[in-house]
Each structure stands twice: as C-alpha cells, then as structure tokens.
Amino acid sequence: MSADELPSDVRALYPFQSHWLPTPTGRIHYVDEGPREAKAAVICVHGNPTWSFFYRDVIKALAPKMRVIAIDHLGCGLSDKPQDFSYHLADHIENLARLVATIAQPTLHFVVHDWGGAIGMGVAARLAERVGKLVVMNTAAFSGPCPLRIRVCRLPGLGPLIVRGLNGFAGPAASMAVVKPLLPAVKRGFLWPYRSWADRVAVLRFVQDIPLEAGHPSAAMLQTVEAGLGKLRGKPMLLGWGLRDFCFTPAYLAGWRQRFPQAEVREFPDAGHYLLEDAGDQLIPQIGEFLGR
C-alpha cells in the first residue's frame, strides 16, 4: 500500500512520496520531506488509531526549512499489517530506532502524540546526546488512568468484535477525538488504512498493549521509558494540550509539567485529543517557531 493508492481527495491533503523501511516482519512506510542538508531532522511519531496523515500540515509547514520524517508504525497507515506480530511497545520502539538509525542529521527533534509519546521518548532517551527539542501533545510516557470506554475494548472476545469487527475504535475516534467535526476528506484520510478486520489488527493490539495489569508484557518497558525521561530533562520542550481530551486529560499534562518544569505550555480549551485538527492553525505556527529558534 502506498500513498499513490489513496483516494484522490485524501491524496490532495497528503501529497508526499512514500518511503519504505524493511524489517523482519514487514515494510514500514514513512514520509521523508525537506532538505537533506538540513542540520536537524524532525521525527513525528503518531499514536492509535492515527497514522502519519495526522502530521500532514506539520510536514508541510516545517519541510521548507527542516527535514521531516513521519513514521507509520507497523500495522498502521500505509505500513504492512502482519497478523502475527506482537505489536508490543518494545517492538514499536525498536522499529522507530531502526528508522532513526538511517538519519544522518546530528540533531533530532521529536514531535509526539498519543502512543507516540512512549514510543518516541523510548528512542529519544537512547539518543539523548542528539536530541535537540521535544514537542509533546496529548500523550504520556508514564502510567496513568485509562477511561472505561477504552477498557471495554480490551475485554477478551468483546474487544476484537468491537475494534476489528465493528470498527468501534478508529471509527468513533474520528468524531470523539475532535471538538470541531472533521471535513469528509479528512475523516476519510484517518479511516482509509483501517477498512477491514485485517487492517485493524494494530488498532486492537495497541489497545491491548496498555499495561494496566501487573505482569503485563509492556509494563516493564513503560517503566523503562519513564525512567529514561530523566536523560531528557533540561531539553527544550513545548507542551501542546487539547483540554477536552477524554483520555489524556489535564492530569497527564500535569504529569509532564512535573517532570519538565521548564517546558513551554500551550493549552487549548476548545480542542480534543486530535489536537492538530482542532487547533492546528494556532499550534503548528508555534511548533515551527519553537523548533526554528
């Protein structure tokens, strides 16, 4: 699956060339725009159930001056969707690390959202000496409360039926994650890679990978990611937050502010989880200014 296969109205919003990273379990799709001679590269890391389409306007805004890379995690977006992959946090971190290892720029800026927080920070902590700045939006890299509507999607038997069979996670997110209704082409863009049971394998696996129980396979890795945040303390950080997010509530924002008291904070009272959709016209120029200083 490549960007050229997207519906024409979605392709108009996402006019980027497809790039591929081979892995032992499938090809990872990513966007790589902007000048290769730039001194810094911006790594955009999405969550669930989005894909690099979420960053389309960030890429357009930054690419004239910076190299911008936006990954589609394995199982997401235009990447391959292997049915037997584990889809654990550690695996996503390793895949992002593989991609970042191909980037020659000495300075790396990370822009993260949702699951991209844990994945991106997991890689950033390993490369702390190369990390320049961090942009963090409605995400976590530490444990916290999980809303009931997401917990229901984790139930054995019922969860797969809801998430994979009825598209009861990605579909509703296109409405529940925003305050302003998405334009039809934008909604189609978010949902197009997740049109079937097989397409939605990673959507379910991400939900199942939330380490709520003792002994969960990803609990130790999330603790490692949280501990690694200490290596990034002191890095310039911009916190952008939609305050009407039902999942990553202002309590998570407080968690970031406690760990990074020097962070610049931009709060958006009328924005939801898909912050770039509700407040991108305000936040994206601020991201550009922050990274361009």
Side-chain angles (χ1 to χ4, degrees):
M1 191 182 299
S2 74
D4 292 335
E5 300 175 54
L6 294 170
S8 58
D9 55 349
V10 177
R11 184 68 173 137
L13 298 170
Y14 185 86
F16 312 119
Q17 180 182 351
S18 289
H19 297 267
W20 305 98
L21 176 74
T23 77
T25 47
R27 295 191 311 165
I28 289 177
H29 176 269
Y30 64 98
V31 172
D32 188 349
E33 298 285 314
R36 296 300 185 273
E37 67 275 11
K39 294 182 179 179
V42 182
I43 316 298
C44 298
V45 193
H46 73 84
N48 185 43
T50 60
W51 56 292
S52 56
F53 181 80
F54 178 73
Y55 288 111
R56 65 196 183 279
D57 292 331
V58 172
I59 298 167
K60 294 171 189 174
L62 299 182
K65 294 183 179 180
M66 305 177 191
R67 185 180 180 187
V68 187
I69 294 97
I71 190 174
D72 286 344
H73 302 302
L74 198 65
C76 301
L78 305 183
S79 291
D80 289 348
K81 299 176 173 63
Q83 301 299 296
D84 56 354
F85 184 58
S86 66
Y87 293 104
H88 290 319
L89 173 60
D91 301 308
H92 292 299
I93 289 174
E94 290 303 322
N95 283 334
L96 179 61
R98 283 190 182 99
L99 178 58
V100 173
T102 70
I103 299 170
Q105 271 73 16
T107 300
L108 304 173
H109 305 313
F110 283 81
V111 181
V112 300
H113 176 256
D114 190 87
W115 266 103
I119 298 168
M121 294 299 174
V123 175
R126 298 182 184 182
L127 305 171
E129 71 284 352
R130 291 180 64 191
V131 173
K133 299 178 181 180
L134 303 162
V135 177
V136 175
M137 302 176 291
N138 290 75
T139 184
F142 42 83
S143 59
C146 179
L148 178 62
R149 66 186 82 177
I150 293 179
R151 287 176 178 265
V152 169
C153 294
R154 293 165 46 84
L155 294 174
L158 183 60
L161 174 63
I162 293 172
V163 177
R164 298 188 71 176
L166 302 176
N167 198 18
F169 193 86
S175 300
M176 294 168 54
V178 292
V179 175
K180 298 185 297 186
L182 298 176
L183 295 174
V186 174
K187 184 175 182 179
R188 191 157 34 250
F190 275 112
L191 298 180
W192 193 84
Y194 307 118
R195 291 168 290 159
S196 70
W197 174 280
D199 287 344
R200 295 191 281 269
V201 59
V203 178
L204 175 64
R205 296 289 188 266
F206 265 117
V207 175
Q208 294 173 332
D209 201 47
I210 302 170
L212 300 180
E213 308 87 7
H216 187 284
S218 288
M221 178 52 68
L222 183 59
Q223 292 172 359
T224 298
V225 171
E226 181 176 2
L229 294 177
K231 299 178 182 179
L232 302 170
R233 207 161 282 135
K235 301 288 185 181
M237 176 180 285
L238 176 65
L239 284 164
W241 218 266
L243 297 181
R244 292 176 64 177
D245 186 343
F246 71 91
C247 182
F248 293 101
T249 63
Y252 281 97
L253 173 59
W256 284 104
R257 297 181 80 161
Q258 179 183 0
R259 292 168 173 85
F260 294 88
Q262 84 287 356
E264 300 178 32
V265 181
R266 305 287 186 272
E267 297 181 357
F268 298 90
D270 295 319
H273 181 59
Y274 287 3
L275 175 60
L276 293 177
E277 302 302 324
D278 280 333
D281 57 340
Q282 303 170 63
L283 180 57
I284 291 173
Q286 294 172 355
I287 292 173
E289 188 275 331
F290 172 73
L291 294 179
R293 288 178 199 165

